[in-house]
Each structure stands twice: as C-alpha cells, then as structure tokens.
Amino acid sequence: MIDDEFERVLSGARLGSGAAFAALYAWLAPNVVSYLRRQGAEDPDDLASEVFLGVFRNIATFQGTGDQFRSWVFSIAHRRLIDDRRKRGRRPVTVPDHGRLVHRSLVDVESEVERHLSAKTVEDLCGDLPDAQRDVLLLRVVSDLTVEQVATILGRSIGATKALQRRGLATIRKKLDKGVPR
C-alpha cells in the first residue's frame, strides 16, 4: 500500500469505515496469520482476529506511515503470540514438512535464505532455534521487516537483534553444511 493510499484508508478506518477496515485487514492479515502459524500458534486465524480487534480498537492512537503501521501491527501480533504461549504453557509446536531441500554451500547465508528457501523451509530450519533467534529470523525473513522494526517489536536493541540474527543464521549454516536429509 503506497503512502497516499494508506493515509486515505487510515483516515477512513478512524472514521469507522468498514471498507477501510477491510482494506487494512486484506493488506496485512495474510502475513500476520503466516507469522503466527510459523511461530506455532495453536489457532493462528483466531489469534490474528484478536490482533486485528486490538488494531481496530486502538487505531485512533496510531500516528505514522504505512511501514510504521505494519510494524505496529506485528508488534501487537507478537504480544498476542507471547500471551498465547504463556497461556498454553509450552513451547510452540512446529509441524514438520516432509518436503526435500537440496544441500548447498552458502557464501552469504542471509541472502541465500531470503532468495532460495521457501518460508516453510525457513520455518523448519528455525524450529530448533532458541525462541529469541527464531522470532528474529521469522520476523525478518517471513514477515519481511527491517532490523529496526524487529528490534522495536521484540523490545530489544538493534545490536542485540542483529546478534540474534547472526547466531540464528550461523546455526542454520551449520545445519546446511552438515547436509539436510533428502
């Protein structure tokens, strides 16, 4: 959504326009559901509904650009996910993909992950990572957020977020170097 269109839609949503709410939902809901599903939410669609109820309930308080709005929505999604994890009292369950991945040596793991691996493969590779590393990588790669946006969402410094990303990518590199089963 371009900034002019975003401003028009945001204004409409603040005035209670159903069409504006639907446009915002259509713009971001698929990515939010995907993020929640890959994080192991028990019912990602239901949790996404809670996210958007929170967004629409508090939309009058939002100030910023379309990118900032997207980051704000993912902040809410991440907090709802944490609440969901606490409520369930266990680590998120990742459903294994029985697809195949061709082993390759990677010179630049981050660019290779972003260019060649499917979101599902990224999910599988991130499944064994510590929660903080997995959160950073999924927000960066699957949700396509910047390091700064991810740091804000997770309540971490940019340096800490970059360090978590580096450690997570290093772990993935080791897995790929050992060879992923065919």
Side-chain angles (χ1 to χ4, degrees):
M1 194 176 288
I2 57 176
D3 283 336
D4 291 340
E5 181 184 6
F6 171 74
E7 286 298 325
R8 182 182 55 75
V9 171
L10 181 63
S11 294
R14 286 181 176 147
L15 295 173
S17 165
F21 286 129
L24 291 172
Y25 183 84
W27 175 41
L28 292 173
N31 289 334
V32 169
V33 170
S34 178
Y35 168 70
L36 296 170
R37 179 172 291 116
R38 284 173 171 69
Q39 284 284 20
E42 194 167 282
D43 188 348
D45 293 316
D46 186 52
L47 203 53
S49 296
E50 289 180 34
V51 169
F52 281 95
L53 284 173
V55 168
F56 297 149
R57 192 175 301 122
N58 296 302
I59 202 159
T61 65
F62 174 78
Q63 297 294 321
T65 67
D67 283 345
Q68 290 168 329
F69 183 79
R70 190 169 188 266
S71 182
W72 182 63
V73 170
F74 275 96
S75 294
I76 294 169
H78 184 72
R79 287 193 303 269
R80 292 288 191 273
L81 177 66
I82 297 301
D83 292 344
D84 184 60
R85 285 179 182 166
R86 286 182 185 140
K87 191 166 47 176
R88 289 188 294 145
R90 59 180 166 83
R91 186 178 173 143
V93 176
T94 304
V95 178
D97 179 15
H98 298 291
R100 300 177 191 273
L101 173 68
V102 177
H103 172 70
R104 50 181 114 216
S105 282
L106 301 177
V107 175
D108 179 0
V109 163
E110 181 176 9
S111 64
E112 286 294 315
V113 167
E114 290 175 341
R115 284 189 320 205
H116 295 293
L117 300 179
S118 70
K120 182 65 178 152
T121 303
V122 171
E123 174 189 341
D124 291 344
L125 289 170
C126 291
D128 296 332
L129 294 175
D131 288 346
Q133 291 175 16
R134 185 179 58 250
D135 290 345
V136 168
L137 290 179
L138 289 177
L139 286 168
R140 288 279 291 132
V141 176
V142 176
S143 301
D144 196 30
L145 297 174
T146 65
V147 171
E148 293 79 11
Q149 290 171 319
V150 173
T152 301
I153 289 169
L154 299 178
R156 296 181 181 274
S157 70
I158 292 172
T161 302
K162 287 180 180 179
L164 287 167
Q165 179 177 309
R166 274 191 306 275
R167 287 194 300 268
L169 290 171
T171 301
I172 289 173
R173 177 186 299 239
K174 288 176 188 170
K175 282 183 182 182
L176 293 173
D177 286 345
K178 287 180 182 176
V180 177
R182 294 178 190 239

